[in-house]
Amino acid sequence: YAAWVYASSYSNIDSDGAPEESSTESAWAFPDGLEVGQQVQYLSKVHSASGFPRYDRKRRGSLISNDSQIFAVGEVASINDNIVCFTWAGAAKQKNRSAWSEATPLMAVLQMEPGSDRQDLGRGREERSHKAQRCDEYRIHVPAEAWNMVPQQTFVVTLTCLDTSTGGQIRLQLNTIGGDELDVQLPKDSAVEALMQTVAEQRQLGPGARVCILNPDGELLEPLSMFGPDAT
């Protein structure tokens, strides 16, 4: 798993005392690592707010805010030095607290390599990360309503080790296509579908993801099958 996050913010108070502020946060998450052909999840949040001048006593101190976000899924199309381009499969958007709706994916090119600065603009202040910074702890959280509007993604893992010697639990080791190793513990009477759900939760794949579990021979394990000595 890998993730990059871009963030910028701006705030200012004009000569009449009216405040204004804005911020943007964009994140690219790669459940199976950053490689050409691998899946990507994208979330961008934009916030803006403006207030009223000091002489407007009735409305002074209040803010008019606008918030929007767009969520998209796709795959990595190319990596050229620190520039990553994508092929987007679908997207969903939300404005303020309205319902999610289908959207056209943005040209959300990822520019890596961290760099930041802070500029003082008179009474205002601007903070900006010119390029996205790596932050593997970041997780994209959107409701099922948004996931239902984008194409289903498939995530494949291979079961490499199954240990039944830990009391009432079984310990499973899995490898992703990108080479990451996952360790999972489940009750001994668990079916493959329980492992599929656990993998989806660990990798933040969303409710619409399809997880495929393969044995070392590349054979697909059926969701309702139980774990036994022949699984690996």
Side-chain angles (χ1 to χ4, degrees), residues 39-181:
Q39 298 173 13
V40 59
Q41 301 166 3
Y42 172 76
L43 180 64
S44 180
K45 301 178 182 180
V46 177
H47 165 79
S48 64
S50 59
F52 300 90
R54 64 174 65 89
Y55 52 76
D56 190 340
R57 296 183 178 180
K58 186 176 180 179
R59 295 182 295 178
R60 185 176 58 193
S62 61
L63 291 173
I64 298 176
S65 298
N66 283 291
D67 295 277
S68 63
Q69 52 185 329
I70 185 167
F71 170 64
V73 298
E75 66 178 36
V76 179
S78 65
I79 303 174
N80 185 9
D81 293 329
N82 294 323
I83 306 298
V84 185
C85 296
F86 306 96
T87 300
W88 298 107
K93 64 181 179 180
Q94 183 190 47
K95 186 173 180 61
N96 295 321
R97 297 186 179 181
S98 62
W100 284 83
S101 59
E102 293 185 3
T104 301
L106 302 176
M107 294 295 291
V109 174
L110 169 59
Q111 298 186 54
M112 298 179 291
E113 185 176 306
S116 63
D117 68 359
R118 173 182 293 183
Q119 298 181 17
D120 289 321
L121 308 174
R123 297 180 131 200
R125 187 179 69 187
E126 183 175 18
E127 296 182 16
R128 191 198 315 269
S129 296
H130 294 300
K131 299 179 182 179
Q133 302 184 42
R134 184 161 186 172
C135 182
D136 292 349
E137 297 78 21
Y138 189 94
R139 295 294 185 269
I140 287 178
H141 296 287
V142 293
E145 180 184 6
W147 280 104
N148 291 337
M149 293 183 178
V150 299
Q152 185 183 66
Q153 292 185 300
T154 299
F155 188 74
V156 180
V157 293
T158 300
L159 179 61
T160 58
C161 181
L162 190 155
D163 183 3
T164 61
S165 63
T166 54
Q169 301 282 312
I170 53 174
R171 181 185 176 191
L172 306 109
Q173 289 186 338
L174 307 104
N175 283 342
T176 70
I177 293 177
D180 288 347
E181 187 175 279

